[in-house]
Amino acid sequence: MQFKCNQTLPERAIHIALKGPDGKCQRGDGTGCFIANNVATTPGDMTERGCTYAGCRGVVGGPVKDAIQLTHGPIGCAFFSWGYRPHLADSDFHMKYTFVSDMNETNIVFGGEKKLLQSIIEASAEFPDAKAVFVYNTCSTALIGDDGRDVAKQAEAIIGKPVVFFECEGFRGVSQSMGHHVGNETIFRQLVGSIEPEGDFSRSINIIGDYNIKNDIRTFEYLFEALGLQIIARFTGNVSVDDLKIMHKAALNIVHCQRSATYIADMMKEKYGTPSINVTLWGIRNMAQALRAAAAFFGLETRAEEVIAHEVTRIQPYIDAYRQRLHGKRVFIYQGGPRVWHWIELLRELGMETETAATTFGHTDDYEKIFNQIPEGALVIDNPNVPEIEEILNRRRPDLFISGNKERYLAYKLGVPFVNGHTYDTGPYAGFVGMVNFARDIDKALHAPVWNILHQRARPAPATHHAAHGF
Ligand code: CFM
Protein backbone atom coordinates (compact mmCIF):
# COMPACT_ATOMS: atom_id res chain seq x y z
CA MET A 1 0.00 0.00 0.00
CA GLN A 2 1.50 3.32 -1.04
CA PHE A 3 0.28 6.85 -1.35
CA LYS A 4 1.92 9.41 -3.56
CA CYS A 5 0.76 12.95 -4.04
CA ASN A 6 0.91 13.64 -7.77
CA GLN A 7 1.20 17.36 -7.32
CA THR A 8 4.32 17.24 -5.23
CA LEU A 9 8.09 17.23 -5.37
CA PRO A 10 9.64 13.74 -5.42
CA GLU A 11 11.65 14.59 -2.27
CA ARG A 12 8.41 15.00 -0.36
CA ALA A 13 7.59 11.27 -0.53
CA ILE A 14 9.41 10.63 2.76
CA HIS A 15 7.04 13.07 4.49
CA ILE A 16 3.94 11.09 3.50
CA ALA A 17 2.94 7.78 5.09
CA LEU A 18 0.07 5.38 5.63
CA LYS A 19 -0.60 3.29 8.70
CA GLY A 20 -0.19 -0.26 7.43
CA PRO A 21 -2.20 -3.33 8.42
CA ASP A 22 0.52 -4.31 10.89
CA GLY A 23 0.17 -0.89 12.55
CA LYS A 24 3.51 0.19 11.11
CA CYS A 25 4.38 3.28 9.13
CA GLN A 26 4.53 2.79 5.36
CA ARG A 27 6.28 5.71 3.80
CA GLY A 28 5.51 7.26 0.41
CA ASP A 29 8.96 6.28 -0.90
CA GLY A 30 8.04 2.62 -0.44
CA THR A 31 10.15 2.02 2.66
CA GLY A 32 8.90 1.19 6.13
CA CYS A 33 10.92 3.98 7.75
CA PHE A 34 9.17 6.48 9.97
CA ILE A 35 7.74 9.68 8.50
CA ALA A 36 10.43 12.37 8.02
CA ASN A 37 9.80 15.37 10.27
CA ASN A 38 11.41 18.46 11.82
CA VAL A 39 13.88 18.76 8.95
CA ALA A 40 14.59 21.65 6.61
CA THR A 41 11.85 22.39 4.10
CA THR A 42 12.53 21.00 0.62
CA PRO A 43 13.77 23.83 -1.61
CA GLY A 44 11.00 24.87 -3.98
CA ASP A 45 8.26 23.73 -1.63
CA MET A 46 5.82 26.54 -0.76
CA THR A 47 5.67 25.53 2.88
CA GLU A 48 3.08 26.87 5.31
CA ARG A 49 5.61 26.80 8.15
CA GLY A 50 6.47 29.82 10.25
CA CYS A 51 9.94 30.93 11.28
CA THR A 52 11.78 30.81 14.61
CA TYR A 53 10.82 34.42 15.32
CA ALA A 54 7.15 33.54 14.74
CA GLY A 55 7.30 30.71 17.27
CA CYS A 56 9.01 32.90 19.85
CA ARG A 57 7.17 36.21 19.38
CA GLY A 58 3.84 34.90 18.20
CA VAL A 59 3.42 31.80 20.31
CA VAL A 60 5.43 31.85 23.55
CA GLY A 61 6.38 35.48 24.33
CA GLY A 62 3.42 37.28 22.73
CA PRO A 63 0.74 36.21 25.23
CA VAL A 64 2.59 37.77 28.20
CA LYS A 65 0.10 40.50 28.97
CA ASP A 66 2.12 43.25 30.62
CA ALA A 67 5.37 43.19 28.63
CA ILE A 68 6.19 45.59 25.80
CA GLN A 69 6.56 43.27 22.79
CA LEU A 70 9.33 44.88 20.76
CA THR A 71 10.63 43.45 17.50
CA HIS A 72 14.18 44.39 16.54
CA GLY A 73 13.86 44.31 12.78
CA PRO A 74 11.83 45.59 9.84
CA ILE A 75 8.27 46.77 10.34
CA GLY A 76 6.87 43.76 8.44
CA CYS A 77 8.17 41.30 11.03
CA ALA A 78 6.32 43.21 13.74
CA PHE A 79 3.13 43.67 11.74
CA PHE A 80 2.77 40.07 10.63
CA SER A 81 3.33 38.67 14.12
CA TRP A 82 0.75 40.93 15.72
CA GLY A 83 -2.86 40.29 16.49
CA TYR A 84 -3.46 37.14 14.46
CA ARG A 85 -3.53 34.69 17.32
CA PRO A 86 -6.28 35.31 19.88
CA HIS A 87 -4.19 34.52 22.98
CA LEU A 88 -6.47 36.50 25.23
CA ALA A 89 -5.92 37.81 28.74
CA ASP A 90 -7.89 39.83 31.28
CA SER A 91 -6.27 42.96 29.83
CA ASP A 92 -5.62 43.78 26.20
CA PHE A 93 -2.33 45.69 26.18
CA HIS A 94 -0.46 42.78 24.56
CA MET A 95 -3.06 42.42 21.82
CA LYS A 96 -3.60 46.12 21.23
CA TYR A 97 -0.01 47.24 20.67
CA THR A 98 3.08 46.02 18.94
CA PHE A 99 6.48 47.74 18.99
CA VAL A 100 9.35 47.70 16.51
CA SER A 101 12.76 49.28 16.11
CA ASP A 102 11.79 49.79 12.44
CA MET A 103 15.08 48.86 10.81
CA ASN A 104 15.40 50.44 7.39
CA GLU A 105 18.09 50.24 4.73
CA THR A 106 20.40 52.81 6.37
CA ASN A 107 20.18 51.01 9.71
CA ILE A 108 21.06 47.74 8.05
CA VAL A 109 24.15 49.35 6.55
CA PHE A 110 25.28 51.24 9.65
CA GLY A 111 23.91 48.98 12.40
CA GLY A 112 20.78 49.20 14.52
CA GLU A 113 22.00 49.05 18.13
CA LYS A 114 21.48 52.76 18.86
CA LYS A 115 18.05 52.64 17.32
CA LEU A 116 17.14 49.60 19.41
CA LEU A 117 18.28 51.26 22.63
CA GLN A 118 16.31 54.37 21.74
CA SER A 119 13.21 52.29 20.93
CA ILE A 120 13.32 50.48 24.28
CA ILE A 121 13.70 53.74 26.22
CA GLU A 122 10.92 55.44 24.25
CA ALA A 123 8.49 52.55 24.50
CA SER A 124 9.04 52.16 28.20
CA ALA A 125 8.59 55.89 28.84
CA GLU A 126 5.37 55.84 26.81
CA PHE A 127 3.97 52.83 28.72
CA PRO A 128 5.30 53.12 32.27
CA ASP A 129 2.92 50.43 33.58
CA ALA A 130 4.57 47.70 31.51
CA LYS A 131 6.52 45.30 33.71
CA ALA A 132 9.26 44.35 31.21
CA VAL A 133 10.39 44.81 27.64
CA PHE A 134 10.64 41.68 25.50
CA VAL A 135 12.96 42.24 22.53
CA TYR A 136 12.86 39.77 19.67
CA ASN A 137 15.73 39.49 17.22
CA THR A 138 15.00 38.98 13.51
CA CYS A 139 16.97 37.68 10.51
CA SER A 140 18.15 41.09 9.38
CA THR A 141 19.50 42.28 12.74
CA ALA A 142 21.16 38.93 13.40
CA LEU A 143 22.85 38.93 10.00
CA ILE A 144 24.41 42.35 10.48
CA GLY A 145 25.64 41.32 13.93
CA ASP A 146 23.80 43.77 16.19
CA ASP A 147 24.63 42.89 19.80
CA GLY A 148 21.11 42.88 21.18
CA ARG A 149 22.17 41.20 24.42
CA ASP A 150 24.44 44.11 25.22
CA VAL A 151 21.80 46.69 24.28
CA ALA A 152 19.32 44.89 26.54
CA LYS A 153 21.76 45.14 29.45
CA GLN A 154 22.33 48.85 28.86
CA ALA A 155 18.60 49.47 28.53
CA GLU A 156 17.84 47.54 31.71
CA ALA A 157 20.20 49.82 33.67
CA ILE A 158 18.48 52.89 32.21
CA ILE A 159 14.80 51.93 32.55
CA GLY A 160 15.14 49.86 35.72
CA LYS A 161 13.04 46.87 34.62
CA PRO A 162 13.81 43.58 32.92
CA VAL A 163 14.70 43.79 29.23
CA VAL A 164 14.52 40.24 27.92
CA PHE A 165 16.34 39.65 24.65
CA PHE A 166 15.21 36.65 22.61
CA GLU A 167 17.74 35.31 20.12
CA CYS A 168 14.99 34.05 17.87
CA GLU A 169 16.21 35.17 14.44
CA GLY A 170 13.92 33.61 11.84
CA PHE A 171 16.48 31.42 10.08
CA ARG A 172 17.68 29.77 13.28
CA GLY A 173 15.56 26.63 13.03
CA VAL A 174 13.55 24.74 10.42
CA SER A 175 10.18 25.99 11.69
CA GLN A 176 8.46 27.95 14.45
CA SER A 177 9.20 25.00 16.73
CA MET A 178 12.73 26.31 17.37
CA GLY A 179 11.18 29.62 18.42
CA HIS A 180 9.19 27.86 21.15
CA HIS A 181 12.45 26.44 22.47
CA VAL A 182 14.24 29.82 22.44
CA GLY A 183 11.22 31.43 24.13
CA ASN A 184 11.18 28.82 26.91
CA GLU A 185 14.91 29.02 27.55
CA THR A 186 15.07 32.79 27.57
CA ILE A 187 12.12 33.27 29.92
CA PHE A 188 13.50 30.59 32.20
CA ARG A 189 16.98 32.08 32.27
CA GLN A 190 15.96 35.71 32.66
CA LEU A 191 12.76 35.74 34.67
CA VAL A 192 11.90 32.50 36.48
CA GLY A 193 13.15 32.53 40.06
CA SER A 194 14.07 36.21 40.10
CA ILE A 195 11.70 36.83 43.03
CA GLU A 196 11.48 34.64 46.16
CA PRO A 197 8.01 35.16 47.59
CA GLU A 198 6.99 34.10 51.09
CA GLY A 199 4.01 31.81 51.58
CA ASP A 200 2.70 28.27 51.46
CA PHE A 201 2.86 26.88 47.94
CA SER A 202 2.34 23.24 48.85
CA ARG A 203 -0.92 23.01 46.86
CA SER A 204 0.08 25.10 43.88
CA ILE A 205 0.47 24.34 40.19
CA ASN A 206 1.57 25.97 36.95
CA ILE A 207 -0.39 25.29 33.80
CA ILE A 208 2.25 25.01 31.12
CA GLY A 209 1.58 25.12 27.38
CA ASP A 210 -1.80 26.77 27.27
CA TYR A 211 -2.09 30.14 25.56
CA ASN A 212 -5.68 30.99 26.36
CA ILE A 213 -6.82 30.83 22.75
CA LYS A 214 -10.33 32.36 22.77
CA ASN A 215 -10.44 31.99 26.56
CA ASP A 216 -9.73 28.26 26.74
CA ILE A 217 -8.56 28.71 30.34
CA ARG A 218 -12.09 29.57 31.42
CA THR A 219 -13.04 25.98 30.67
CA PHE A 220 -10.49 24.28 32.93
CA GLU A 221 -8.94 26.63 35.48
CA TYR A 222 -12.00 26.54 37.69
CA LEU A 223 -11.80 22.75 37.70
CA PHE A 224 -8.27 22.70 39.10
CA GLU A 225 -9.32 25.38 41.57
CA ALA A 226 -12.32 23.27 42.57
CA LEU A 227 -9.83 20.59 43.62
CA GLY A 228 -8.37 23.15 46.02
CA LEU A 229 -5.30 23.95 43.95
CA GLN A 230 -3.77 27.37 43.53
CA ILE A 231 -2.59 28.31 40.04
CA ILE A 232 0.61 30.35 40.23
CA ALA A 233 1.46 30.87 36.58
CA ARG A 234 0.17 30.01 33.18
CA PHE A 235 2.81 29.52 30.56
CA THR A 236 1.91 31.77 28.83
CA GLY A 237 -1.83 32.43 28.37
CA ASN A 238 -3.06 35.32 30.54
CA VAL A 239 0.26 35.51 32.37
CA SER A 240 2.00 38.53 33.85
CA VAL A 241 5.73 39.08 34.14
CA ASP A 242 5.46 38.84 37.93
CA ASP A 243 3.76 35.43 37.70
CA LEU A 244 6.62 34.14 35.55
CA LYS A 245 9.16 35.33 38.13
CA ILE A 246 7.65 33.14 40.84
CA MET A 247 6.58 30.11 38.84
CA HIS A 248 9.45 28.08 40.34
CA LYS A 249 7.48 27.96 43.62
CA ALA A 250 4.81 25.62 42.23
CA ALA A 251 4.59 22.11 43.63
CA LEU A 252 3.61 20.62 40.26
CA ASN A 253 3.77 21.56 36.58
CA ILE A 254 0.84 20.50 34.46
CA VAL A 255 1.98 20.38 30.84
CA HIS A 256 -0.70 20.66 28.16
CA CYS A 257 0.94 21.58 24.82
CA GLN A 258 3.82 19.14 24.70
CA ARG A 259 5.51 20.67 21.70
CA SER A 260 5.90 24.33 22.66
CA ALA A 261 6.46 24.15 26.42
CA THR A 262 7.96 20.90 27.67
CA TYR A 263 11.33 22.68 27.63
CA ILE A 264 10.53 24.93 30.57
CA ALA A 265 9.02 22.04 32.56
CA ASP A 266 12.22 20.06 31.97
CA MET A 267 14.44 22.99 33.01
CA MET A 268 12.38 23.49 36.18
CA LYS A 269 12.69 19.81 36.96
CA GLU A 270 16.44 20.02 36.61
CA LYS A 271 17.00 23.23 38.54
CA TYR A 272 14.22 23.22 41.15
CA GLY A 273 13.18 19.56 41.17
CA THR A 274 9.60 20.49 40.18
CA PRO A 275 7.75 17.35 39.06
CA SER A 276 5.50 17.55 36.02
CA ILE A 277 2.67 15.62 34.43
CA ASN A 278 1.67 15.62 30.78
CA VAL A 279 -2.02 16.11 30.16
CA THR A 280 -4.56 16.83 27.45
CA LEU A 281 -7.17 19.38 28.38
CA TRP A 282 -9.46 18.67 25.40
CA GLY A 283 -12.14 15.96 25.41
CA ILE A 284 -14.07 14.24 28.19
CA ARG A 285 -11.79 11.30 28.93
CA ASN A 286 -8.60 13.36 28.64
CA MET A 287 -9.85 16.23 30.80
CA ALA A 288 -11.04 13.78 33.45
CA GLN A 289 -7.70 12.01 33.32
CA ALA A 290 -5.86 15.34 33.74
CA LEU A 291 -7.88 16.16 36.86
CA ARG A 292 -7.35 12.67 38.24
CA ALA A 293 -3.58 12.85 37.68
CA ALA A 294 -3.32 16.26 39.36
CA ALA A 295 -5.52 15.11 42.23
CA ALA A 296 -3.51 11.91 42.72
CA PHE A 297 -0.35 13.98 43.14
CA PHE A 298 -1.91 16.00 45.98
CA GLY A 299 -4.04 13.21 47.49
CA LEU A 300 -7.33 14.80 46.43
CA GLU A 301 -8.82 11.84 44.56
CA THR A 302 -12.29 11.91 46.13
CA ARG A 303 -12.75 15.58 45.36
CA ALA A 304 -11.66 14.99 41.75
CA GLU A 305 -14.32 12.31 41.25
CA GLU A 306 -17.00 14.69 42.55
CA VAL A 307 -15.87 17.49 40.24
CA ILE A 308 -15.67 15.17 37.21
CA ALA A 309 -19.07 13.58 37.89
CA HIS A 310 -20.70 16.99 38.23
CA GLU A 311 -19.21 18.30 34.98
CA VAL A 312 -19.83 15.17 32.93
CA THR A 313 -23.47 15.01 34.05
CA ARG A 314 -23.86 18.59 32.87
CA ILE A 315 -22.51 18.08 29.38
CA GLN A 316 -23.38 14.44 28.61
CA PRO A 317 -26.88 15.10 27.20
CA TYR A 318 -25.40 17.59 24.71
CA ILE A 319 -22.57 15.26 23.73
CA ASP A 320 -25.05 12.37 23.25
CA ALA A 321 -27.23 14.52 21.02
CA TYR A 322 -24.29 15.66 18.91
CA ARG A 323 -22.87 12.15 18.68
CA GLN A 324 -26.05 10.98 16.98
CA ARG A 325 -25.62 13.64 14.33
CA LEU A 326 -21.86 13.27 13.88
CA HIS A 327 -21.50 9.51 14.15
CA GLY A 328 -19.49 7.81 11.40
CA LYS A 329 -17.94 10.95 9.94
CA ARG A 330 -14.36 10.81 8.64
CA VAL A 331 -12.05 13.64 9.57
CA PHE A 332 -8.86 15.24 8.24
CA ILE A 333 -7.03 17.17 10.98
CA TYR A 334 -4.18 19.48 10.05
CA GLN A 335 -2.71 21.53 12.89
CA GLY A 336 0.69 22.88 13.85
CA GLY A 337 1.61 19.86 15.90
CA PRO A 338 0.13 18.30 19.04
CA ARG A 339 -3.48 19.31 18.60
CA VAL A 340 -3.72 16.53 16.01
CA TRP A 341 -3.04 13.79 18.55
CA HIS A 342 -4.84 15.64 21.35
CA TRP A 343 -8.07 15.54 19.31
CA ILE A 344 -8.20 11.99 17.90
CA GLU A 345 -9.76 10.73 21.14
CA LEU A 346 -12.08 13.73 21.45
CA LEU A 347 -13.43 13.10 17.94
CA ARG A 348 -13.99 9.43 18.80
CA GLU A 349 -16.03 10.53 21.78
CA LEU A 350 -18.23 12.28 19.23
CA GLY A 351 -18.38 9.14 17.05
CA MET A 352 -15.90 10.34 14.42
CA GLU A 353 -12.67 8.85 13.11
CA THR A 354 -9.48 10.63 12.03
CA GLU A 355 -8.48 9.21 8.68
CA THR A 356 -5.98 11.83 7.59
CA ALA A 357 -3.60 13.72 9.86
CA ALA A 358 -1.02 16.39 9.16
CA THR A 359 1.18 18.72 11.17
CA THR A 360 3.18 21.76 10.17
CA PHE A 361 6.09 21.23 12.53
CA GLY A 362 5.45 18.07 14.58
CA HIS A 363 8.45 16.08 15.82
CA THR A 364 8.86 12.30 16.05
CA ASP A 365 7.10 12.14 19.44
CA ASP A 366 4.04 13.90 17.97
CA TYR A 367 3.94 11.51 15.00
CA GLU A 368 4.32 8.48 17.25
CA LYS A 369 1.32 9.59 19.27
CA ILE A 370 -0.63 10.12 16.04
CA PHE A 371 0.33 6.73 14.60
CA ASN A 372 -0.60 4.94 17.82
CA GLN A 373 -4.12 6.33 17.71
CA ILE A 374 -5.18 6.47 14.05
CA PRO A 375 -6.88 3.49 12.37
CA GLU A 376 -5.27 1.27 9.77
CA GLY A 377 -5.17 2.86 6.35
CA ALA A 378 -5.07 6.42 7.73
CA LEU A 379 -2.79 8.85 5.94
CA VAL A 380 -0.26 11.08 7.66
CA ILE A 381 1.59 13.94 6.00
CA ASP A 382 4.27 16.20 7.43
CA ASN A 383 4.34 19.90 6.58
CA PRO A 384 1.93 19.69 3.61
CA ASN A 385 1.81 22.44 1.02
CA VAL A 386 -1.37 23.74 -0.63
CA PRO A 387 -1.31 21.54 -3.77
CA GLU A 388 -0.85 18.49 -1.54
CA ILE A 389 -3.72 19.52 0.73
CA GLU A 390 -5.91 20.12 -2.32
CA GLU A 391 -5.10 16.66 -3.67
CA ILE A 392 -5.84 15.01 -0.34
CA LEU A 393 -9.18 16.81 -0.03
CA ASN A 394 -10.11 15.73 -3.56
CA ARG A 395 -8.89 12.15 -3.39
CA ARG A 396 -9.82 11.22 0.17
CA ARG A 397 -12.94 13.40 0.42
CA PRO A 398 -13.06 13.71 4.22
CA ASP A 399 -16.45 14.62 5.71
CA LEU A 400 -14.76 17.31 7.78
CA PHE A 401 -11.50 19.28 7.62
CA ILE A 402 -10.21 20.74 10.91
CA SER A 403 -7.46 23.17 10.04
CA GLY A 404 -6.58 26.88 10.07
CA ASN A 405 -7.43 30.10 8.28
CA LYS A 406 -4.78 29.49 5.62
CA GLU A 407 -6.71 26.44 4.42
CA ARG A 408 -10.25 27.65 5.05
CA TYR A 409 -11.10 28.92 1.57
CA LEU A 410 -9.49 25.99 -0.16
CA ALA A 411 -11.84 23.73 1.82
CA TYR A 412 -14.86 25.88 0.96
CA LYS A 413 -13.95 25.95 -2.72
CA LEU A 414 -13.67 22.17 -2.79
CA GLY A 415 -16.94 21.76 -0.90
CA VAL A 416 -15.46 20.24 2.24
CA PRO A 417 -16.97 21.26 5.63
CA PHE A 418 -14.36 23.14 7.65
CA VAL A 419 -13.72 24.00 11.31
CA ASN A 420 -10.97 26.37 12.42
CA GLY A 421 -8.91 24.47 14.98
CA HIS A 422 -6.13 27.03 15.47
CA THR A 423 -7.85 30.27 16.44
CA TYR A 424 -11.41 28.89 16.80
CA ASP A 425 -14.16 30.87 15.06
CA THR A 426 -16.14 30.74 18.30
CA GLY A 427 -14.52 28.72 21.10
CA PRO A 428 -13.35 28.05 23.67
CA TYR A 429 -12.92 24.36 22.84
CA ALA A 430 -10.98 23.02 25.84
CA GLY A 431 -12.32 21.35 28.97
CA PHE A 432 -15.75 19.78 29.34
CA VAL A 433 -17.85 22.80 28.44
CA GLY A 434 -15.54 23.74 25.55
CA MET A 435 -16.15 20.34 24.01
CA VAL A 436 -19.83 21.17 23.64
CA ASN A 437 -18.80 24.30 21.69
CA PHE A 438 -16.49 22.22 19.53
CA ALA A 439 -19.22 19.65 18.83
CA ARG A 440 -21.69 22.44 18.01
CA ASP A 441 -19.28 24.05 15.52
CA ILE A 442 -18.54 20.70 13.88
CA ASP A 443 -22.26 20.02 13.61
CA LYS A 444 -22.88 23.45 12.10
CA ALA A 445 -20.10 22.93 9.54
CA LEU A 446 -21.25 19.44 8.58
CA HIS A 447 -24.93 20.21 8.37
CA ALA A 448 -24.83 23.68 6.84
CA PRO A 449 -27.75 24.00 4.37
CA VAL A 450 -25.31 24.96 1.60
CA TRP A 451 -24.24 21.33 1.23
CA ASN A 452 -27.78 20.33 0.20
CA ILE A 453 -27.58 22.71 -2.75
CA LEU A 454 -24.17 21.37 -3.74
CA HIS A 455 -25.29 17.76 -3.53
CA GLN A 456 -28.39 18.46 -5.62
CA ARG A 457 -26.15 20.01 -8.29
CA ALA A 458 -23.78 17.06 -8.19
CA ARG A 459 -26.61 14.57 -8.84
CA PRO A 460 -26.50 13.27 -12.44
CA ALA A 461 -29.15 14.85 -14.67
CA PRO A 462 -32.10 12.56 -15.46
CA ALA A 463 -31.71 10.90 -18.84
CA THR A 464 -33.66 12.66 -21.60
CA HIS A 465 -33.99 11.94 -25.29
CA HIS A 466 -31.35 14.60 -26.10
CA ALA A 467 -28.98 13.54 -23.38
CA ALA A 468 -29.14 9.98 -24.59
CA HIS A 469 -27.95 11.19 -27.96
CA GLY A 470 -25.06 13.08 -26.48
CA PHE A 471 -26.39 16.63 -26.54
FE1 CFM B 1 1.09 24.12 20.99
FE2 CFM B 1 -0.60 25.85 20.39
FE3 CFM B 1 -0.11 23.69 18.88
FE4 CFM B 1 1.71 25.64 19.04
FE5 CFM B 1 0.59 26.98 16.92
FE6 CFM B 1 -1.69 27.28 18.34
FE7 CFM B 1 -1.25 25.01 16.86
MO1 CFM B 1 -1.76 27.37 15.72
S1 CFM B 1 1.37 26.30 20.99
S2 CFM B 1 1.98 23.55 19.06
S3 CFM B 1 2.67 26.92 17.50
S4 CFM B 1 -1.06 23.81 20.75
S5 CFM B 1 -0.60 28.73 17.22
S6 CFM B 1 -2.08 27.45 20.49
S7 CFM B 1 -3.04 26.15 17.17
S8 CFM B 1 -0.09 25.82 15.29
S9 CFM B 1 -1.14 22.78 17.19
Side-chain angles (χ1 to χ4, degrees), residues 95-113:
M95 293 294 291
K96 200 166 168 189
Y97 299 102
T98 194
F99 302 81
V100 62
S101 59
D102 186 23
M103 293 285 286
N104 57 36
E105 216 174 300
T106 322
N107 307 133
I108 295 294
V109 173
F110 294 103
E113 292 175 6

Side-chain angles (χ1 to χ4, degrees), residues 104-340:
N104 57 36
E105 216 174 300
T106 322
N107 307 133
I108 295 294
V109 173
F110 294 103
E113 292 175 6
K114 278 191 199 131
K115 206 171 180 193
L116 174 60
L117 182 63
Q118 193 54 36
S119 307
I120 299 171
I121 295 168
E122 251 177 54
S124 119
E126 200 68 40
F127 294 92
D129 292 339
K131 290 284 165 49
V133 183
F134 284 8
V135 181
Y136 302 91
N137 212 17
T138 57
C139 296
S140 56
T141 46
L143 282 171
I144 61 168
D146 271 5
D147 188 349
R149 265 196 194 211
D150 183 59
V151 174
K153 249 193 229 156
Q154 292 176 43
E156 214 165 64
I158 298 168
I159 67 170
K161 37 178 106 154
V163 178
V164 182
F165 181 65
F166 295 89
E167 287 167 344
C168 57
E169 37 283 352
F171 55 74
R172 190 158 167 185
V174 300
S175 70
Q176 53 266 64
S177 178
M178 175 58 84
H180 306 151
H181 202 152
V182 174
N184 278 236
E185 274 188 4
T186 313
I187 289 176
F188 182 74
R189 195 178 60 234
Q190 301 232 32
L191 292 174
V192 178
S194 56
I195 287 181
E196 275 305 330
E198 297 293 318
D200 176 13
F201 297 99
S202 57
R203 284 206 175 175
S204 62
I205 55 170
N206 294 317
I207 295 189
I208 304 233
D210 178 81
Y211 302 92
N212 199 24
I213 303 299
K214 293 271 171 80
N215 274 321
D216 260 354
I217 60 174
R218 278 200 201 146
T219 68
F220 55 74
E221 282 200 342
Y222 75 98
L223 301 172
F224 289 104
E225 281 163 358
L227 297 182
L229 300 175
Q230 176 202 354
I231 301 166
I232 297 188
R234 295 96 181 139
F235 190 87
T236 53
N238 191 27
V239 81
S240 67
V241 172
D242 288 346
D243 297 339
L244 292 170
K245 288 180 178 175
I246 60 164
M247 68 187 286
H248 62 299
K249 300 309 279 183
L252 178 69
N253 279 330
I254 294 186
V255 187
H256 177 39
C257 171
Q258 291 148 47
R259 177 76 285 122
S260 65
T262 42
Y263 314 103
I264 196 154
D266 291 345
M267 288 181 283
M268 285 179 67
K269 200 172 288 170
E270 208 189 310
K271 185 164 177 189
Y272 301 103
T274 319
S276 67
I277 51 172
N278 290 337
V279 299
T280 292
L281 303 174
W282 283 288
I284 300 174
R285 198 174 69 102
N286 287 328
M287 185 67 230
Q289 209 172 304
L291 290 170
R292 286 194 180 110
F297 181 85
F298 293 98
L300 302 164
E301 289 90 337
T302 321
R303 181 74 192 118
E305 293 311 321
E306 286 164 14
V307 171
I308 295 165
H310 178 255
E311 294 292 319
V312 174
T313 316
R314 252 173 86 195
I315 64 157
Q316 200 64 55
Y318 297 97
I319 299 299
D320 291 344
Y322 282 121
R323 195 191 292 116
Q324 284 194 358
R325 293 170 59 84
L326 305 179
H327 184 78
K329 301 294 183 192
R330 297 150 42 252
V331 189
F332 174 12
I333 318 180
Y334 169 34
Q335 295 285 305
R339 284 184 184 208
V340 178

Side-chain angles (χ1 to χ4, degrees), residues 2 14 26 29 62 70 146 153 230 280 374 406 434 468:
Q2 266 193 45
I14 58 173
Q26 297 188 329
D29 62 347
L70 199 160
D146 271 5
K153 249 193 229 156
Q230 176 202 354
T280 292
I374 50 174
K406 280 186 278 212

